[in-house]
Amino acid sequence: MAKLRIAALLLLLTFIACTSGTSPDQLLDEGASEDAWEVIGPGGGGTIYIPTISPGDPKNVLVRCDMTGAYVTQDGGENWRMFNLRGVVRDFEFDPQFPETVYASNTGLYRSDNRGQSWKLIYPQPDDIEREVMNGDHASHRFITRSGMPDASIDQVRVDPVDSNHLLIGLSRSRITGKPARLLESTDKGETWVELAEVPGRQILGIFPGSWIDRTDEIVVISDAGGVRVSGNGVEREELTLPVSAVTVSEGGVHPNGSYLYILGDSSAEEESAVGGLFRSSDFGQNWEPITVNAVDASQASDRAPRFRTLAVSEGHAAIVYLSAEAIWKIENGSPQRYSGILKTDSGGDNWEWALSVSGGQIVTENFDGDWILRNLGWFRNPGHLGVSPTKPDVVYATDSGRTFKSENGGRDWSQCIDRPSPDGSVTTRGLDVTTTYGVHFDPFDPQHLFITYTDIGLFHSFNEGKTWQHAITGIPRQWRNTCYWLEFDPDVRGRIYSVWANVHDLPRPKMHRSGNLVNGRQQGGVAVSGDGGRWWELLHLGQLQEDGTHANGMRLGAVCTHLILDPASPVNSRTLYVTDYGYGVWKSTNDGQTWQLKNNGLSPENLNCWRLTRLPSGRLLLLVARGGIEGDEVIPGRIYSSDDGAESWQPLALPAEVTAPNDLIYDPAQPERMYLSCWPLNRDRQEVGGGLFRTEDGGQSWQQVFKEEKHVYAAAVDPNATDTIYIGTFNSAAYRSLDRGESWSRLGGFNFKWGHRPVPDIHRPGWLYLTSFGGSVFHGPAEGISVAFEDIENLPPAE
């Protein structure tokens, strides 16, 4: 009976068809109409996770990143649509019987009935929600419900393959109640839920239904610290004995003779093969056997044990497994050489072959078609995540820290899914953009020429008003290239541009303080100038390190440069420049960057996280110092300073009450004494205080709050054609516009990205706006928003 059930399930999974009668092309047209914000940029740039392939159509794929964006394709990665479900998605799960239906989980459980094009919240039920909160430095989302549930992140979702009404979810350990990880069950497609079992560990990694092997009342759950078998609607619970104490990945599926479950833990080297990291169970978790990866010759690995990073199993063909090998060492020409890539087995782990092999950033197997990352940066890293079709195991997607790529012939050939190349070498995105952007910068001499300043991938520019993009890092040292925080055009010299760089990214987020990257002595960064429109960069004078540790006539080595301004009144051939060096102070040059002096007179040494500068038309300088590192309850408040003598001395200005984190400051060009201060809130006893937007009418002597203090406002912009119109970007899943200098606000319809950064009015297209983001590149759309926009979540109001 079990074999018949498995055979029927395999047949169902392999030949299932969509029953809605709606074609993928129709769905794509419905979901991505003209009433949508367009994402611009080169594509890729950051890490993608959990590629999940529909059992009904291998071209319908979902992925997510760690920067709150999620993405769906209906055409096998040729085009992607970004969507947002209030935060980072933890898991996707297609319904095996009705693959138009797909689930996504994070702080809630969402269902789409049109292949991922639009979503409805099903847990908690909308009428159970009292409010939504977005707390902490990253505005982490949480539902406050009358029932108190769910009280933790939903890390795993499983649809019973023989009963679409039967859903299982795994909750992580609750930070609110302290409860351990738990397994919950619904038998009515998510209308109601009951708790079946507590599970050891912090996070549930895999939920495996007993209906795979004709045990309909049995469930096996694997967490990062153990496993349990649950049966009888939770009445019976059995602890499983796992061969490792810490599990990193758990996958499984069915095959003609039963099922296989796999776990990945620590690796070791024994004799001539790699063992210990990968284990398989043929009896639904009761017993486990180590898998020998015989494609790895560990006898040549010196004392370095091979490591396996992740794996993926074809759910309907569980003998087919793809394995990401992170560190395989071989002795070549007398020295160890590191290999990584993707291994494949079609025998449940008995035999393995390299599907893709990489060494020294180069693809040894020569079976990848290339992308801008490989061409421009020259690296290719082993995948952090893999996803295999449950019905067509030759279809597999892989992701590393910058790209997404796929194979449709079982790993013999791989193609990238992030960019679309042009004959001139420029590229444009396919809609799968995963990186932080700081600004959109317009060439005053060429309306077709604009730049995007990026984290992780440096700097890109376009010569056709954003249609295609080229990397603009030639001449920048490799150690600086991670982040270009800002650039300034010389308003009087065509092609002359100044830029600031650092290898410490994501500032001014306090997580970078906690990481130690600002004090580890490995900081790199500085200032560069281009005379040909960004095609080539020359480093400005860094100075000489002297015996006493100071730098003669130059900026310090390892400067973390986050902003610069140019004094337009200074001589054209001897520009005055000001640069913020995060954690160190403000540098000034009066000879076009050939020499520099530190200008910290009046700045408090308790906090020198100098972040941004503003120069008013009068010549007055205003300096924002970001909030210091948050360790436990210790908070080092940020500050505002002003200078009327060219940074020779600084005087503190009073911040608004409760404000500790000034983030951006702009002025009204029609009335410069009117300024807008964007602020990050501080989480105090689960309440956000001191955030929002403030306005001053008297140059900073007094402030009035004009936007909510609990909102994480990154930056504001004044419309140059109507200076009473203000735009703001927030981390709260929304951007806003005010037509009356902040007295009232309206959300920009259709912009759903969680972590918004800087609004930038399109100076060449009045009535249009660019919105930079923390993790989704740059959005471009109508400055008034889209009133009839396609919203991602159908049964919740847009974030306010």
Side-chain angles (χ1 to χ4, degrees), residues 198-477:
E198 294 184 349
V199 182
R202 180 182 60 86
Q203 181 182 12
I204 290 177
L205 302 177
I207 302 173
F208 307 109
S211 52
W212 278 355
I213 54 173
D214 203 28
R215 302 179 188 173
T216 55
D217 69 339
E218 187 172 308
I219 306 158
V220 167
V221 185
I222 304 294
S223 75
D224 57 343
V228 298
R229 178 183 288 105
V230 181
S231 60
N233 293 325
V235 175
E236 298 180 15
R237 179 183 182 279
E238 175 191 2
E239 295 275 351
L240 299 178
T241 301
L242 302 184
V244 291
S245 59
V247 180
T248 58
V249 182
S250 179
E251 294 278 349
V254 296
H255 60 85
N257 296 316
S259 69
Y260 285 142
L261 304 185
Y262 301 86
I263 59 174
L264 189 61
D266 295 332
S267 300
S268 63
E270 290 185 7
E271 299 178 351
E272 296 184 356
S273 299
V275 301
L278 182 60
F279 296 84
R280 180 183 68 197
S281 174
S282 303
D283 55 9
F284 218 50
Q286 192 68 39
N287 298 283
W288 298 85
E289 57 182 323
I291 291 178
T292 298
V293 183
N294 58 5
V296 177
D297 183 4
S299 66
Q300 300 295 316
S302 182
D303 60 347
R304 298 176 174 92
R307 296 198 303 270
F308 304 121
R309 191 171 182 185
T310 191
L311 64 92
V313 180
S314 178
E315 188 175 313
H317 306 266
I320 298 177
V321 182
Y322 294 82
L323 176 67
S324 175
E326 184 172 15
I328 308 300
W329 293 88
K330 295 182 180 181
I331 305 299
E332 295 182 355
N333 299 321
S335 62
Q337 182 68 39
R338 175 173 171 160
Y339 283 78
S340 61
I342 302 173
L343 293 158
K344 179 189 177 184
T345 181
D346 58 8
S347 58
D350 294 336
N351 292 286
W352 296 84
E353 296 180 351
W354 284 101
L356 184 145
S357 180
V358 182
S359 181
Q362 302 300 311
I363 303 167
V364 178
T365 44
E366 298 183 345
N367 57 347
F368 177 71
D369 69 353
D371 52 25
W372 71 259
I373 297 175
L374 188 64
R375 292 191 299 273
N376 298 0
L377 301 177
W379 58 258
F380 195 105
R381 296 168 184 163
N382 68 296
H385 283 253
L386 297 164
V388 189
S389 167
T391 56
K392 298 181 182 296
D394 278 354
V395 178
V396 55
Y397 280 69
T399 67
D400 65 14
S401 56
R403 62 167 61 83
T404 298
F405 55 107
K406 68 174 182 177
S407 174
E408 296 179 328
N409 58 10
R412 292 191 298 276
D413 301 288
W414 299 85
S415 59
Q416 59 93 7
C417 301
I418 62 170
D419 72 55
R420 190 168 289 110
S422 298
D424 64 356
S426 62
V427 297
T428 191
T429 179
R430 299 189 190 186
L432 188 59
D433 295 79
V434 192
T435 195
T436 295
T437 51
Y438 295 95
V440 178
H441 311 266
F442 306 99
D443 188 334
F445 297 93
D446 181 356
Q448 296 289 313
H449 188 205
L450 64 156
F451 285 80
I452 299 175
T453 40
Y454 276 107
T455 270
D456 290 338
I457 59 177
L459 181 65
F460 274 81
H461 61 162
S462 170
F463 292 93
N464 52 20
E465 207 174 359
K467 295 180 178 65
T468 63
W469 296 87
Q470 299 178 17
H471 228 164
I473 59 173
T474 304
I476 300 298

Side-chain angles (χ1 to χ4, degrees), residues 12 31 53 78 103 112 150 192 243 350 359 394 434 446 482 526-527 531 562 602 613 620 622 720 734:
L12 174 67
I53 305 169
E78 291 300 314
Y103 294 85
S112 170
T192 59
D350 294 336
S359 181
D394 278 354
V434 192
D446 181 356
N482 180 272
V527 187
T562 60
L613 288 157
R620 167 174 279 195
L622 297 166

Side-chain angles (χ1 to χ4, degrees), residues 84-130:
N84 195 279
L85 301 179
R86 297 291 207 264
V88 175
V89 172
R90 310 301 301 175
D91 192 27
F92 293 114
E93 169 82 353
F94 282 93
D95 185 330
Q97 294 191 69
F98 303 99
E100 309 89 350
T101 297
V102 58
Y103 294 85
S105 69
N106 48 28
T107 54
L109 181 63
Y110 297 85
R111 184 178 68 230
S112 170
D113 293 312
N114 55 11
R115 300 160 57 99
Q117 290 302 114
S118 61
W119 300 83
K120 293 181 180 178
L121 179 70
I122 64 169
Y123 185 55
Q125 293 286 345
D127 59 7
D128 187 32
I129 298 171
E130 291 185 344

